[in-house]
Amino acid sequence: MSSSNNRKKLLLMGRSGSGKSSMRSIIFSNYSAFDTRRLGATIDVEHSHLRFLGNMTLNLWDCGGQDVFMENYFTKQKDHIFQMVQVLIHVFDVESQEVIKDIDIFTRALKQLKKYSPDAKIFVLLHKMDLVQLDKRNELFEIMMKKLQQASAEYGFPHLIGFPTSIWDESLYRAWSQIVCSLIPNMSIHQSNLKKLKSSMDAIEIILFERSTFLVICSSNDQNINGKINNYTTTTNNNANNSSLSELSNEVSLLDPKRFEKISNIMKNFKQSCTKMKCGFKTVVLNDNIYVSELSSNMVCFIVLKNSDAPQQLVLENIRKAKNYF
C-alpha cells in the first residue's frame, strides 16, 4: 500500500465555541477536561499530523468556526479545504441559539464535499450534552439527527452517523473510536486474532486499544453478535451450533454496553497520572484476572479472564507469544 493511501484527511468543523479544539486536545494531546479551559479560539485552520497504529497518519484539520473564516472556507479556499477528505466531523453546540444557521453551515460543507470528496464519511457530534436536562437528552438528539439526516441525504450522503458527546464523560471516546476505526482497513484481521487469543486464554473478552489515545480498535466479542445470531437461527436447525451461539449471546449481554468508552476514559486518566509521576507501564494486573499489556509499540490489550486462578506467568507468556500477530 502506498504511503499516500495511509494518510487520512479529517475535517473537524463547526461554529466557534462548539468545543472542537477541546475534544481534539483531550483525545490526541492528553489534556484533561479541566485543562481545556486554557485553550483559546482556533485561528483559521490548525493542522495536526497524528500517527495511528504505526503506519496510518491522521491529518486532522481543525477549522476555526468564526464567521469570517467559515465564509473563506466556502469561497476562496473551498478546493483546498474540501479536496481529498476521508472524513468530515461536524460539531454542533446543543446550547446554540442559532440552530438554523448551524445547519446551514453544515449543508454548505456537504455541498462542497459532494463536489470535491463525494466518498467522504460524515459524522456529526451533538456536543455539550451534559448541559441538557437528563430526561430531555434523547429527545433532543433524535430531533436534531432527523433534521441533519434529511439534509445529509439531499446532498448525496445518506449514511450519516451521529453521537451525543461531552468532554465530562466517556461519550467522547465512543464517538472518536468509531470515527477513527472507520478508517482502519485491516480491522477484520485484528478481530480474528483477538478471537483466537480469547479462546486460547479462556477469556471473557479481550479489547484492543490504540496505545497513545486509548481509542478502542476492536473487541474479541462481535458488537453486532445478537443480530448475527438472529439471522443465523432462521437459516439453520443445527442445535449444537444454536446452543453455542446462545451461550455466547448470553455472555455478551451481561457485559456493560458502555464498557469500551469507560475503559478508554479510565486508562487515559491512569496514563496521565503516570506521565505526571514520570513513569510508565508495560503490564498492569488487577484482581488476578484483568491484564492490561502492550501488544506492540502502538497497541494495548485489555484482557478479562474467566478464571482468576490462572498462573500469572502462564498468562504473561501467552501475551508475549501473541505479540507476533499484532
Side-chain angles (χ1 to χ4, degrees):
M1 185 181 290
S2 70
S3 60
S4 62
N5 289 336
N6 290 332
R7 291 195 292 269
K8 310 294 184 181
K9 181 177 177 180
L10 290 78
L11 281 188
L12 182 59
M13 302 192 79
R15 299 284 300 284
S16 180
S18 60
K20 303 182 299 296
S21 297
S22 293
M23 63 174 66
R24 183 198 71 185
S25 298
I26 288 171
I27 297 295
F28 296 106
S29 300
N30 292 323
Y31 276 55
S32 69
F34 289 102
D35 292 336
T36 62
R37 291 178 295 184
R38 67 173 186 259
L39 292 171
T42 301
I43 305 301
D44 202 9
V45 180
E46 288 189 9
H47 300 270
S48 302
H49 302 282
L50 309 157
R51 298 285 289 179
F52 197 87
L53 295 184
N55 64 347
M56 188 167 79
T57 300
L58 304 180
N59 292 335
L60 184 61
W61 294 38
D62 184 356
C63 302
Q66 294 92 328
D67 289 345
V68 63
F69 297 140
M70 283 288 187
E71 195 57 38
N72 213 22
Y73 304 151
F74 298 128
T75 53
K76 297 177 183 177
Q77 291 184 287
K78 59 186 178 183
D79 55 342
H80 175 61
I81 296 288
F82 294 100
Q83 205 152 44
M84 298 180 69
V85 174
Q86 272 75 40
V87 170
L88 168 68
I89 305 132
H90 202 101
V91 182
F92 291 86
D93 182 347
V94 295
E95 283 211 317
S96 173
Q97 301 300 309
E98 298 181 295
V99 176
I100 293 175
K101 187 172 183 179
D102 297 342
I103 295 176
D104 178 62
I105 287 171
F106 175 59
T107 56
R108 291 179 73 185
L110 294 177
K111 183 178 180 181
Q112 297 304 328
L113 283 174
K114 184 178 180 180
K115 180 178 180 181
Y116 293 103
S117 300
D119 296 323
K121 298 173 183 176
I122 315 296
F123 294 87
V124 292
L125 307 185
L126 305 191
H127 197 48
K128 304 183 183 179
M129 195 60 81
D130 56 289
L131 300 176
V132 179
Q133 193 175 317
L134 189 60
D135 61 348
K136 300 291 184 184
R137 292 177 188 177
N138 284 342
E139 181 183 4
L140 174 63
F141 180 73
E142 288 173 8
I143 290 171
M144 193 67 177
M145 282 303 298
K146 187 175 181 180
K147 292 179 180 178
L148 296 175
Q149 282 168 338
Q150 272 184 331
S152 183
E154 286 176 12
Y155 285 91
F157 298 98
H159 305 298
L160 181 70
I161 299 174
F163 299 93
T165 57
S166 166
I167 63 172
W168 299 103
D169 62 27
E170 64 275 358
S171 58
L172 210 56
Y173 288 93
R174 176 173 177 257
W176 279 89
S177 288
Q178 188 158 334
I179 291 166
V180 173
C181 283
S182 71
L183 299 170
I184 299 174
N186 54 346
M187 183 69 75
S188 60
I189 297 174
H190 290 316
Q191 191 162 44
S192 175
N193 288 334
L194 279 190
K195 287 180 178 179
K196 292 174 185 175
L197 184 59
K198 174 193 171 184
S199 177
S200 65
M201 296 184 72
D202 195 25
I204 295 172
E205 184 170 37
I206 303 177
I207 308 170
L208 197 62
F209 295 91
E210 199 277 331
R211 185 172 176 268
S212 62
T213 61
F214 269 96
L215 294 177
V216 176
I217 299 170
C218 62
S219 162
S220 60
N221 296 336
D222 191 328
Q223 295 182 55
N224 297 316
I225 193 164
N226 291 325
K228 289 191 176 183
I229 286 170
N230 291 337
N231 290 340
Y232 184 88
T233 53
T234 60
T235 57
T236 182
N237 292 317
N238 189 315
N239 291 331
N241 284 342
N242 287 343
S243 175
S244 175
L245 286 168
S246 295
E247 287 175 12
L248 187 54
S249 175
N250 291 335
E251 185 179 285
V252 173
S253 67
L254 294 174
L255 300 175
D256 185 346
K258 294 186 177 181
R259 64 194 180 279
F260 302 127
E261 52 264 37
K262 286 180 178 179
I263 295 170
S264 287
N265 199 14
I266 291 167
M267 291 308 302
K268 193 69 175 286
N269 288 331
F270 177 68
K271 183 183 176 185
Q272 288 169 353
S273 298
C274 289
T275 301
K276 289 176 183 177
M277 297 176 67
K278 297 182 179 179
C279 64
F281 70 91
K282 294 286 185 183
T283 301
V284 176
V285 182
L286 304 168
N287 298 332
D288 294 326
N289 74 319
I290 297 176
Y291 289 74
V292 185
S293 182
E294 288 185 0
L295 274 183
S296 71
S297 59
N298 44 56
M299 293 184 194
V300 173
C301 65
F302 187 97
I303 302 171
V304 183
L305 300 177
K306 292 179 183 177
N307 182 10
S308 60
D309 297 328
Q312 189 174 116
Q313 289 304 314
L314 178 61
V315 174
L316 294 176
E317 179 63 15
N318 282 334
I319 294 172
R320 187 188 68 79
K321 290 182 176 179
K323 291 180 180 182
N324 296 325
Y325 299 94
F326 293 90

